[in-house]
Amino acid sequence: MMQSAAMHEQYNEKKIISVSAKRQITIPQKYFEILNVGNEVECVLQNGAILIRPIHERRNGDFAEQILADLISQGYSGNDLLAKFREHNLKIRPAVEELISKADEFVASGNGVVSIDALFGAEEN
């Protein structure tokens, strides 16, 4: 049974669940149904807690739009645009994996809070 987003916000319930030896958890069926969880969830480390929320649409489309807009602004079109887009799109996953690796290294080091610039590098203008 699907419910509206407004209905989700009126639930305030707590449940203790087990974590397996493989660090896996099972989302309670009631929560799964209320939130209409699909095949993926987003996991966010926030204020000393883990926030797990359903993903109802793929977000890498945002990256695709940004890549395309940038390439178009550089003058690419037609088959050249498609080739450059594929080239750039293939770089996303390795870049994200590298960021995750750096974040894991930082967490393992126990050095405390890190700035966005230190983790991702200073933003270029």
Side-chain angles (χ1 to χ4, degrees):
M1 177 168 129
M2 292 180 43
Q3 300 183 13
S4 71
M7 292 289 290
H8 300 167
E9 294 178 11
Q10 63 181 302
Y11 285 93
N12 189 8
E13 187 175 315
K14 202 184 291 188
K15 183 167 177 93
I16 295 176
I17 56 178
S18 299
V19 179
S20 77
K22 293 183 176 184
R23 300 178 317 277
Q24 297 171 328
I25 62 170
T26 300
I27 299 170
Q29 184 71 32
K30 177 180 175 182
Y31 298 0
F32 191 87
E33 291 173 356
I34 289 170
L35 296 173
N36 191 30
V37 176
N39 293 329
E40 293 183 312
V41 295
E42 179 178 39
C43 185
V44 180
L45 182 59
Q46 180 178 321
N47 299 323
I50 299 172
L51 172 66
I52 300 172
R53 59 182 162 217
I55 296 177
H56 295 291
E57 58 185 62
R58 299 289 294 168
R59 295 193 176 168
N60 66 352
D62 295 339
F63 289 122
E65 287 179 27
Q66 290 174 3
I67 292 169
L68 283 170
D70 185 49
L71 294 173
I72 290 168
S73 73
Q74 292 177 38
Y76 290 99
S77 63
N79 288 336
D80 290 338
L81 174 62
L82 184 57
K84 275 293 188 186
F85 172 77
R86 287 179 177 151
E87 178 184 321
H88 280 70
N89 203 31
L90 288 172
K91 295 177 184 178
I92 293 173
R93 184 180 180 100
V96 170
E97 288 172 348
E98 182 180 347
L99 291 173
I100 290 170
S101 176
K102 286 181 180 180
D104 288 345
E105 288 173 17
F106 182 80
V107 169
S109 74
N111 287 330
V113 178
V114 64
S115 72
I116 294 295
D117 286 345
L119 185 59
F120 295 109
E123 187 172 297
E124 297 177 14
N125 291 324

